[in-house]
Amino acid sequence: MARMRIIGAVVGACLFSTMALAATDLPAPLVAKCQACHGDGGNSPTGAVPRLNGQQAAYIAKRLHDFSNLASEDPHAMKAMWPVVSDLSNDTFDALAAYYAGQPPTKSRPQGPLAALGRKIYANGATTEEIRPCQACHGAQGEGGAAAPRLAGQHAAYLTSQLERLRLLTRVDDTMFHNARGMSDQQIRALVAYLAAD
């Protein structure tokens, strides 16, 4: 009986420590490592590095899992992310995802004459190019949902790069390839003008 109480206490302590990691501040060295590229609170100051603040937690966790598998990502992203995530646990992935999802998101700032076309494509798609409405997965305001990422407020350079990579299959995502493969350069610029914050 005493042995069962000890085992129960150990299991309880392990569960508590996992919950504590998700609910409290992450280790300072890990946060500092993330901030070196992604900025304070995930609000990246660099156009080529994605903003994580306010991003969907499920999406962040999935991407971290992808980056920990050398066979699942494009070489550019893996070069930057593999050294950071290769020794992290699934619990840490989830805690990082919750932390960044809880940060105040950057709002989109539609800019220029192409933003109106971008809004139209985002809401309605483009039937001649077989582009489905982006809002069907990414939310009416670009806020994302479930495993679909938040797009609103992202860097223009990053959004452009990702749409181009998805279109060319240098970033593999079956769902997005079917939507991005027919996009023209102008349509990509229009979507970015509507969604981005810079």
Side-chain angles (χ1 to χ4, degrees):
M1 188 64 143
R3 184 174 179 190
M4 292 302 290
R5 279 197 294 266
I6 291 170
I7 291 171
V10 169
V11 170
C14 290
L15 289 172
F16 178 78
S17 68
T18 299
M19 290 188 302
L21 177 62
T24 62
D25 291 338
L26 290 154
L30 177 59
V31 173
K33 192 182 285 190
C34 297
Q35 286 180 344
C37 295
H38 291 282
D40 188 24
N43 189 7
S44 161
T46 307
V49 178
R51 288 185 168 112
L52 302 179
N53 51 315
Q55 184 55 272
Q56 293 289 326
Y59 177 75
I60 295 173
K62 179 190 181 301
R63 293 292 285 161
L64 289 170
H65 284 283
D66 288 346
F67 289 132
S68 69
N69 177 359
L70 283 172
S72 69
E73 260 302 331
D74 70 82
H76 302 288
M78 287 304 298
K79 183 177 179 181
M81 291 299 299
W82 168 255
V84 179
V85 302
S86 59
D87 60 349
L88 299 182
S89 69
N90 289 340
D91 290 335
T92 304
F93 289 165
D94 292 342
L96 282 166
Y99 170 73
Y100 284 114
Q103 302 304 305
T106 302
K107 294 182 180 179
S108 60
R109 292 191 290 274
Q111 297 179 17
L114 278 177
L117 173 60
R119 179 183 290 111
K120 182 178 177 184
I121 294 169
Y122 188 85
N124 304 312
T127 54
T128 55
E129 294 87 359
E130 297 182 11
I131 302 168
R132 292 180 56 220
C134 307
Q135 70 174 359
C137 296
H138 294 280
Q141 306 302 317
E143 70 277 13
R150 176 184 180 84
L151 302 178
Q154 193 52 267
H155 288 296
Y158 181 77
L159 282 176
T160 302
S161 168
Q162 296 309 299
L163 285 169
E164 288 173 349
R165 288 182 181 184
L166 288 161
R167 178 176 65 176
L168 296 171
L169 269 181
T170 56
R171 174 176 171 183
V172 179
D173 183 297
D174 290 339
T175 300
M176 277 305 301
F177 171 66
H178 291 296
N179 289 305
R181 66 183 173 181
M183 285 185 189
S184 67
D185 290 344
Q186 183 189 42
Q187 287 170 325
I188 288 176
R189 288 196 302 270
L191 281 167
V192 170
Y194 172 58
L195 291 165
D198 54 11

